[in-house]
Amino acid sequence: MDKFVIEGGGRLSGETEIQSAKNAVLPLLAASVLTDERVEIHKCPRIADVMNMVGILGELGCKTHFEGDTMCIDSADAANHEIPAALAKELRSSVFMLGSVVSRFGRARIAYPGGCDIGLRPIDLHLGGLRRLGVDVAEDGGYIDCSCGRLRGAEVLLDFPSVGATENIILASAKAEGTTVIRNAAKEPEIVDLQNFINRMGGKISGAGTAVIVVEGVKKLHGAAYTPIADRIEAGTFLIACAMCGGEIALKHADPVNIASLLHKLREISCKIWSKNDKIYIESKRRLSPKIVETSPYPGFPTDLQAQMTALACVCEGATVIVENLFETRFKHVPELIRMGADITVRGRSALVRGVPRLHGADVFASDLRGGAALTLAAISAEGLSSVTDLSYIDRGYSSFEYKLRALGARIRRVRV
Ligand code: UD1
């Protein structure tokens, strides 16, 4: 087990490069099973979730290797349709495999997915969508068993615009017979990326980024090379770090449009933000309270930046109400922030954060990916020495997190416990 040891208090300055989006790369890896030709994903981040997904591809019989930072996948010999619990429990995105594995083999058997413990995280919308496409779904002893003849296009109406369910239905329908229409689809940029990738493979998908996605099934998909979009959550995390610590930083390979909701909030609290070419710049001097931050599906404020924003609100002038609308138990970072001197009251899905001039160092414990990032930012901005344990959560989603923060002036190092 690793931990960060952090001496907080300094300002940030300098430039760092944003990785490709974790939440774009994971469904692209799942999509690679839809063809038996070679797929190349450029700028593929070496984060634990990606490596676990690559492990699942290996279990299916795909050959994978890195060439520099390009992940190469050859699914020609893939023959296995089963993903055991030991692999599926490592990440929630294993569930995306249902759509692509059932499309490839006509059947799939996958253990219930794991992932960060941030709420109930049911998969009823995924399974309901697959059933609409003609898949027989049986749930038995912690496994989901899917089987079908040729998948048939269908109308699928989602009760909620679930990101994962939208992606799973796209994956299952890309080679189905006929047309699939997904209504009330999620609009996240990562879904547009999945559409663009499958279209590069010869697919016929349109409408991603809106609430109605149309997938015209094609007989065959071929190999493709693709560079995924930048990670808006990683970019947002660094912007919030600078807002908390003060200073001026630049983020290379970052897209301001995809994090417009965050940029709006940061400008409200008086950060200066501008972008040029593929860089976002932020200058932070004074932090007024953002007053209210409410998470919602894209283009609303992302739940994956809620924990980091809560940490920022701790050191803003005035009170902030944070409302978490997506996940039930996504305030596990709060007791840890309180150990650092934060003043926060949680009632159900809302947190009232009363700003204090400064947090102080403490030994804190991460219990999920974004919560771990939030505690790291809090420690960097706090006065004195902190440690953040256990880094296995942070390593799921941030590549070289401490190196990048150190390059921006933070005093942070990784220590084996
Ligand atoms: C994805 C992201 C995750 C992000 C989340 C919301 C990936 C790999 N992960 O997760 O980082 O926090 O979107 O932006 O892209 N729900 C159901 N039934 C379902 C599916 C979802 O009730 O079948 C509910 C969930 O419990 C949750 C809400 O819908 O309350 C949103 O979940 P969803 O959009 O599916 O998130 P994920 O795809 O799991």
Side-chain angles (χ1 to χ4, degrees):
M1 191 163 67
D2 290 355
K3 68 176 180 181
F4 285 148
V5 174
I6 298 165
E7 202 188 320
R11 291 163 72 81
L12 299 186
S13 68
E15 180 174 313
T16 193
E17 182 166 348
I18 297 306
Q19 68 188 23
S20 293
K22 167 179 91 72
N23 289 352
V25 172
L26 295 173
L28 299 195
L29 290 172
S32 68
V33 177
L34 295 173
T35 177
D36 51 13
E37 295 177 18
R38 179 177 158 113
V39 164
E40 291 180 4
I41 298 177
H42 301 309
K43 288 187 144 190
C44 183
R46 290 175 198 249
I47 50 179
D49 271 9
V50 165
M51 300 324 280
N52 283 325
M53 197 69 162
V54 167
I56 289 175
L57 290 176
E59 180 73 20
L60 298 176
C62 309
K63 294 191 188 78
T64 59
H65 69 279
F66 267 108
E67 280 175 16
D69 63 1
T70 297
M71 167 55 66
C72 307
I73 305 136
D74 174 357
S75 303
D77 297 330
N80 184 16
H81 66 276
E82 181 167 337
I83 301 173
L87 289 171
K89 77 171 175 40
E90 290 302 328
L91 86 163
R92 177 159 171 92
S93 302
S94 53
V95 77
F96 299 139
M97 282 297 179
L98 274 179
S100 44
V101 172
V102 84
S103 167
R104 171 91 184 240
F105 300 114
R107 54 192 179 151
R109 180 172 160 80
I110 298 187
Y112 265 94
C116 283
D117 177 15
I118 52 178
L120 293 173
R121 308 192 87 176
I123 53 168
D124 53 316
L125 301 173
H126 299 244
L127 301 186
L130 293 177
R131 285 192 174 103
R132 294 281 306 150
L133 299 174
V135 179
D136 284 327
V137 181
E139 298 174 67
D140 139 56
Y143 275 81
I144 306 154
D145 270 307
C146 293
S147 60
C148 64
R150 174 110 200 253
L151 288 157
R152 297 184 310 266
E155 285 266 334
V156 181
L157 174 65
L158 293 175
D159 289 338
F160 181 85
S162 154
V163 175
T166 302
E167 291 170 339
N168 222 341
I169 297 162
I170 290 175
L171 289 164
S173 58
K175 293 202 300 177
E177 196 174 319
T179 302
T180 297
V181 181
I182 309 171
R183 298 191 191 277
N184 198 24
K187 301 175 191 150
E188 269 67 2
E190 292 76 15
I191 292 171
V192 179
D193 220 33
L194 178 61
Q195 164 184 284
N196 294 345
F197 177 63
I198 295 179
N199 286 349
R200 178 85 54 92
M201 296 166 84
K204 283 195 180 161
I205 307 175
S206 57
T210 76
V212 182
I213 298 176
V214 179
V215 185
E216 284 176 53
V218 295
K219 282 220 165 67
K220 187 174 158 58
L221 292 172
H222 51 73
Y226 195 78
T227 305
I229 54 169
D231 196 315
R232 61 196 168 100
I233 305 302
E234 191 203 23
T237 302
F238 284 114
L239 291 172
I240 293 172
C242 184
M244 287 183 80
C245 297
E248 184 179 333
I249 66 168
L251 304 178
K252 194 167 182 293
H253 184 49
D255 183 347
V257 175
N258 289 347
I259 42 170
S261 59
L262 171 68
L263 300 190
H264 172 67
K265 282 287 153 198
L266 292 177
R267 286 192 177 109
E268 257 180 23
I269 70 169
S270 85
C271 293
K272 203 172 144 200
I273 297 169
W274 66 104
S275 53
K276 205 171 157 192
N277 304 325
D278 74 337
K279 282 189 196 168
I280 300 179
Y281 299 82
I282 178 170
E283 190 187 328
S284 160
K285 286 186 180 141
R286 186 164 167 244
R287 300 172 300 262
L288 303 171
S289 134
K291 297 201 171 52
I292 180 144
V293 178
E294 192 161 352
T295 65
S296 61
Y298 189 84
F301 192 90
T303 175
D304 287 351
L305 288 173
Q306 177 264 106
Q308 302 88 316
M309 201 64 184
T310 303
L312 168 58
C314 292
V315 292
C316 286
E317 291 169 34
T320 306
V321 176
I322 310 267
V323 185
E324 172 53 58
N325 287 311
L326 273 293
F327 293 107
E328 295 85 356
T329 55
R330 209 167 193 182
F331 280 125
K332 289 190 175 159
H333 44 283
V334 165
E336 303 305 300
L337 289 171
I338 291 172
R339 281 146 65 98
M340 302 179 80
D343 183 348
I344 310 175
T345 310
V346 175
R347 289 274 181 275
R349 288 182 176 226
S350 302
L352 173 62
V353 186
R354 296 172 205 85
V356 294
R358 196 115 232 210
L359 296 174
H360 56 73
D363 295 324
V364 292
F365 296 85
S367 51
D368 65 83
L369 163 58
R370 307 302 172 185
L375 295 176
T376 305
L377 303 194
I380 287 169
S381 78
E383 209 158 75
L385 204 64
S386 295
S387 68
V388 181
T389 313
D390 140 21
L391 302 188
S392 63
Y393 295 103
I394 294 173
D395 291 340
R396 279 184 166 177
Y398 295 90
S399 60
S400 314
F401 197 35
E402 68 272 29
Y403 293 97
K404 290 181 175 183
L405 285 167
R406 222 164 30 228
L408 297 175
R411 284 164 298 199
I412 175 170
R413 64 197 163 90
R414 181 182 288 253
V415 174
R416 181 122 311 159
V417 185

